[in-house]
Amino acid sequence: MGKVAFVFPGQGSQFVGMGQALSEQSEAARHIFEQADEALGFSLSGLCFAGPEEELKLTANTQPAILTASIAVMATLNEKLPDYKPAFVAGHSLGEYSALVAAGALSFADAVKTVRARGQFMEEAVPAGQGAMAAVLNMDRAALHAVCEEVTASGHPVQLANMNCPGQIVISGSAEGVKLAGEKAKEAGAKRVLPLNVSGPFHSSLMQPAADKLQAVLAGVTVQEATVPVVANVTARPVSEATIIVDQLVQQVSAPVLWEDSVQWMVEAGVTTFIEIGPGKVLAGLIKKIAPADTTIISVQDMDSLTELLNGGVLC
């Protein structure tokens, strides 16, 4: 039997109502939302359950909200199968913090406060309108990297930000840099370039001020050795050691998310089942484009999908 990996979603998976039904059905989930409210000093649970959507979409709110909704599912799963451990955990950008909580490297309270600060720092790093991100479809990674290097050399910084799956790479940087790189990418054969509705140029060099502030916050957080290897965004390789985890979390703010590489590494390491834990099904969709066709991919975000997982025998 192949190995199992738990994966956790990042920003963009949020929706009003996430976690509400689960918190009504699971004491473990309800406790996670209560912890989040207490740690942050405001009703994050109310924002998750009832919105408004515009408030939930603010980066400083979205990040702790998705983390909390994800860990509420994880806590309920842990309640049902307290001794189960996957072979690996991983998360997309923000989702790496959920993975670290699941692996015992971060306490939930520390994680939710840290990602709240992370979101605020990322919002503050670049004035509104000066940064941008865009998804480039069906273009070779090396060719797109060369385009970004050329545009950056002209004085308009832009770089590869998210290597999501074959044929989907997100670029990030100054508004002009992303615009110029998008134009050159289309000239070079990219099928489409889709501007993203985001509040900043995440995972680009322009996020370095946010990375510096996050480093100071993480210096005051207790990080322990992970009990399950965490496949890190910045290297697409497993990490367990606390000091390395901290260094990579700082790097991650301004470095590319190597999601395609991470999934490929896990497949090569023997993973045949990926379980997405948290709101939405974004990662399931990406993994289907990366992993072999016979890979089992399951999304779990509520009691019905959790019950189906538990009854399916995948986690025996």
Side-chain angles (χ1 to χ4, degrees):
M1 187 174 177
K3 298 175 182 176
V4 174
F6 289 172
V7 296
F8 298 86
Q11 201 159 335
S13 296
Q14 72 277 357
F15 61 90
V16 173
M18 63 182 184
Q20 183 172 10
L22 185 63
S23 72
E24 293 169 353
Q25 298 166 311
S26 162
E27 184 177 344
R30 183 166 58 254
H31 180 58
I32 291 297
F33 279 101
E34 290 170 352
Q35 276 189 274
D37 292 349
E38 182 177 351
L40 298 179
F42 71 94
S43 182
L44 182 73
S45 59
L47 191 56
C48 290
F49 300 163
E53 185 177 4
E54 288 307 309
E55 287 290 317
L56 183 61
K57 284 168 62 177
L58 295 175
T59 297
N61 293 332
T62 303
Q63 296 200 10
I66 291 174
L67 171 81
T68 300
S70 298
I71 296 305
V73 179
M74 189 72 235
T76 306
L77 175 56
N78 285 340
E79 191 176 51
K80 305 291 186 183
L81 291 176
D83 298 323
Y84 184 83
K85 288 189 183 299
F88 304 101
V89 295
H92 191 288
S93 187
L94 157 74
E96 190 156 284
Y97 286 81
S98 301
L100 289 165
V101 173
L106 274 175
S107 73
F108 170 69
D110 280 342
V112 78
K113 287 185 286 188
T114 300
V115 300
R116 167 73 168 174
R118 179 181 185 266
Q120 290 171 330
F121 299 155
M122 292 170 81
E123 283 183 343
E124 296 163 357
V126 178
Q130 292 189 17
M133 299 180 77
V136 180
L137 305 185
N138 290 7
M139 187 169 182
D140 176 75
R141 186 188 298 190
L144 184 56
H145 176 70
V147 165
C148 290
E149 291 277 283
E150 179 186 347
V151 173
T152 297
S154 74
H156 303 289
V158 59
Q159 64 196 74
L160 307 186
N162 297 341
M163 266 56 79
N164 283 335
C165 66
Q168 186 190 123
I169 299 172
V170 174
I171 59 175
S172 179
S174 68
E176 184 65 15
V178 170
K179 175 176 172 289
L180 291 172
E183 292 170 353
K184 288 182 178 293
K186 283 191 280 190
E187 290 170 4
K191 183 177 179 181
R192 296 179 71 187
V193 177
L194 305 173
L196 301 184
N197 182 21
V198 294
S199 60
F202 304 147
H203 300 291
S204 78
S205 59
L206 299 180
M207 285 288 114
Q208 191 57 48
D212 294 340
K213 291 179 182 177
L214 180 64
Q215 184 170 26
V217 170
L218 286 168
V221 172
T222 299
V223 180
Q224 299 180 350
E225 183 168 344
T227 59
V228 175
V230 182
V231 181
N233 287 180
V234 297
T235 61
R237 293 294 183 271
V239 61
S240 298
E241 188 179 332
T243 55
I244 298 175
I245 287 170
V246 172
D247 288 344
Q248 292 183 345
L249 287 177
V250 174
Q251 293 174 43
Q252 187 220 55
V253 176
S254 59
V257 174
L258 303 179
W259 185 251
E260 179 182 348
D261 309 64
S262 296
V263 173
Q264 286 177 337
W265 186 90
M266 285 185 275
V267 168
E268 290 167 6
V271 172
T272 58
T273 299
F274 289 89
I275 299 173
E276 179 177 14
I277 296 176
K281 298 180 179 181
V282 172
L283 297 186
L286 296 179
I287 293 168
K288 284 176 184 176
K289 297 177 181 178
I290 304 168
D294 60 352
T295 302
T296 300
I297 305 167
I298 302 168
S299 293
V300 180
Q301 60 179 297
D302 54 26
M303 191 60 81
D304 287 345
S305 54
L306 180 57
T307 300
E308 189 175 341
L309 171 68
L310 294 172
N311 291 340
V314 172
L315 302 184
C316 292

